Amino acid sequence: YDPSGKVLASSPENIRIHDIFLYDVSNGERLGSLRGHSSLVTALVYLGSNDRLASASGAEIKFWNCENRNCFRTIIQQD
């Protein structure tokens, strides 16, 4: 849930779908999706505001602006 408790970010446990879906908690309506991961999303956390979200997938962390649905930074773990 975002800090306001109004939006839920979720990613399905499906090896073929790597999207993050945003839902309106009051009515269950899907507000949009965040696309860009190449493998299963394993962690989601809001970053102190309603519009910033971090997501982890494999060796990759992405930072999202939920308002415009854009990834503004990607960090990839190097071996």
Side-chain angles (χ1 to χ4, degrees):
Y1 293 93
D2 73 345
S4 74
K6 296 178 181 178
V7 178
L8 172 68
S10 176
S11 185
E13 291 184 31
N14 184 322
I15 61 171
R16 294 186 180 147
I17 300 173
H18 308 129
D19 297 350
I20 300 162
F21 299 110
L22 304 174
Y23 295 94
D24 183 323
V25 174
S26 68
N27 61 18
E29 178 184 345
R30 187 185 295 178
L31 301 173
S33 61
L34 308 174
R35 295 186 175 148
H37 280 289
S38 57
S39 63
L40 183 69
V41 175
T42 56
L44 297 168
V45 64
Y46 277 93
L47 302 172
S49 71
N50 295 341
D51 65 341
R52 303 290 177 168
L53 181 75
S55 58
S57 172
E60 179 179 81
I61 300 171
K62 290 188 172 287
F63 297 89
W64 304 90
N65 179 321
C66 295
E67 283 186 16
N68 63 22
R69 314 286 192 265
N70 287 327
C71 176
F72 63 88
R73 184 167 184 196
T74 299
I75 298 173
I76 300 173
Q77 179 183 353
Q78 302 295 320
D79 292 330

